[in-house]
Amino acid sequence: MNEIEFSIIIPLYNQEKYIERCLKSAIEQGFKGNYEIIIVNDGSTDKSGEILKKFNDKKLKIFENKNSGPAYSRNFGIKKAEGKYIVFLDSDDTLDKNALQTFYNTNNGKNLNADIVFAPYYVIREHKNDMKIYFPLKKFANFDGFLNIENTDGEVLKGNFEPWAKAYKKDFLIQNGIIFEEARLAEDLPFFYNAVLNTEKILTANTPVYFYRRGHKNFLKEGKYDWGDEVIKIFQKSDEIFQNQKFWHDKKNYSTIEKIYAKNCLNICLFWARRFKKLKKRWAFYKFCGGFLSRYGLSTEFYIKLFIRNLVDILQNKC
C-alpha cells in the first residue's frame, strides 16, 4: 500500500484549547496504510500556531492562510490533498484511533469503490457533561450493496449534514464540482446535498469513528456578519441543488423523497431559529423560513414548534 489512501483535512481557527488533542488523534491512527494530515491555519490569532510547531511528523502538512472561514479552508485542503479518500476533522474534535482503518475495512476491504462512507459518531456534550452515540442510516447497517437516494426512498438524506464522520472519494468530489459554499455558517449543507444526490455508491460503517464536541462554543453575536443572511444564502443554494436533480424527479418515489427533504428543511429552520433568538434581525430569518416552508405546507408547524421550544427555554432559564 504505497499510495496515499487518506487525506485528513483540519481547518484551524483559534482552537488553542483543543488542537493538540485533535492533532494527536490524527497522528496516532492505527491505520496500516499511508495517509497524510493537512492542517489549514485560517489566520489564528491565539496560540494555535505555536502549538502546531510542537509536532514533527512526516504525515503532517501545514498551510498558513489569512482568515477566510472554514469553507475556504476545507476547499483549499481538498486541492492540496493527495489521498484517494478525504476525511474531514474539525479542530475542536477528535478521531477514534481506528477511524481510518474502519473506513478502509468498510470500503476497500470488501473490494468496493464507494463515493461516500458514512459512519457512527459520538457526541460529547460539554454543557451536560455526557456523551451519546449517533448512528446515521442505522437501518441500513446490514444492507447488501451500495445505498443511494433511490433505493433508500430518500432515507440517505437523513444522514448527518456535517462533513465529518465520513470518507469522501476525492475523484468523486472533483469530477462533480462538489465544494463548500463560502459562508460563515451552514456551509456544509449544500456540500452534503450535492454529494448525496450525485452518487449511487454510499456505504455505511458500523463502528463509531469520530468524537464531536458541542456545547462549548460562544453564542453568535451581532457584528461583522448578518448571520441570518448567511444561513439564508446557504439554504437557497441547497434548495437549488435539490430542485435541479431533474433526472430523478420523475421517479415513482419522488414524493417520498421530497417529504424527507421538506422535513429536513423544517428541522434546519428550527435549529438556526433557536440560535438566532437573541439577535436583532431574527424576525427576518423567521419570515424567510415561514415563507420557504409554506410550499411544503409546513409554515404553521414551524411557528408552533419554534414558539414551544422558545417557551421551554424561557421556563428552564427561570428554574
Side-chain angles (χ1 to χ4, degrees), residues 206-219:
N206 294 330
T207 306
V209 301
Y210 197 92
F211 293 87
Y212 167 59
R213 192 180 305 278
R214 60 178 294 190
H216 64 292
K217 296 180 181 179
N218 294 328
F219 177 77

Side-chain angles (χ1 to χ4, degrees), residues 149 153-158 161 189-190 192-193 197 234-245 248-249 254-269 288 292-293 295-296 298:
I149 188 74
D153 287 331
E155 292 280 333
V156 291
L157 294 178
K158 294 182 179 180
F161 300 131
L189 188 59
F192 171 83
Y193 280 122
L197 294 173
I234 287 300
F235 212 103
Q236 291 172 329
K237 181 62 179 180
S238 299
D239 191 58
E240 176 187 325
I241 290 170
F242 181 81
Q243 297 299 339
N244 283 345
Q245 300 300 317
W248 51 266
H249 275 212
Y254 175 71
S255 61
T256 302
I257 295 171
E258 187 179 56
K259 287 179 182 178
I260 292 175
Y261 170 73
K263 191 67 174 181
N264 278 357
C265 293
L266 172 63
N267 290 334
I268 293 164
C269 281
F288 165 79
F292 180 88
L293 292 170
R295 73 179 73 174
Y296 301 109
L298 296 174

Side-chain angles (χ1 to χ4, degrees), residues 243-308:
Q243 297 299 339
N244 283 345
Q245 300 300 317
K246 301 296 185 184
F247 66 93
W248 51 266
H249 275 212
D250 295 329
K251 302 289 185 183
K252 292 181 179 179
N253 58 353
Y254 175 71
S255 61
T256 302
I257 295 171
E258 187 179 56
K259 287 179 182 178
I260 292 175
Y261 170 73
K263 191 67 174 181
N264 278 357
C265 293
L266 172 63
N267 290 334
I268 293 164
C269 281
L270 288 169
F271 176 88
W272 287 109
R274 291 186 75 196
R275 279 148 186 78
F276 294 159
K277 64 185 178 182
K278 294 183 180 179
L279 300 182
K280 295 177 182 178
K281 296 183 178 181
R282 63 188 181 279
W283 298 108
F285 182 74
Y286 296 170
K287 183 179 179 180
F288 165 79
C289 290
F292 180 88
L293 292 170
S294 64
R295 73 179 73 174
Y296 301 109
L298 296 174
S299 180
T300 301
E301 184 176 349
F302 165 71
Y303 286 117
I304 291 175
K305 287 188 173 181
L306 179 62
F307 173 78
I308 292 173

Side-chain angles (χ1 to χ4, degrees), residues 71-86:
Y72 179 87
S73 295
R74 292 194 187 107
N75 289 336
F76 182 90
I78 292 172
K79 291 177 182 177
K80 296 296 182 180
E82 296 180 28
K84 184 178 177 182
Y85 282 85
I86 289 174

Side-chain angles (χ1 to χ4, degrees), residues 138-154:
K138 184 177 182 180
K139 66 186 294 184
F140 302 104
N142 298 313
F143 188 86
D144 185 17
F146 290 118
L147 306 175
N148 55 60
I149 188 74
E150 187 175 0
N151 69 10
T152 64
D153 287 331

Side-chain angles (χ1 to χ4, degrees), residues 98-135:
N98 294 314
L100 297 186
Q101 192 64 49
T102 295
F103 283 130
Y104 185 83
N105 291 345
T106 302
N107 185 33
N108 305 59
K110 298 178 182 178
N111 294 317
L112 298 173
N113 192 26
D115 291 327
I116 312 172
V117 182
F118 280 78
Y121 58 93
Y122 296 102
V123 173
I124 302 171
R125 303 191 300 177
E126 291 200 345
H127 57 307
K128 294 188 176 181
N129 195 31
D130 67 4
M131 183 170 69
K132 290 189 173 184
I133 185 172
Y134 287 81
F135 197 155

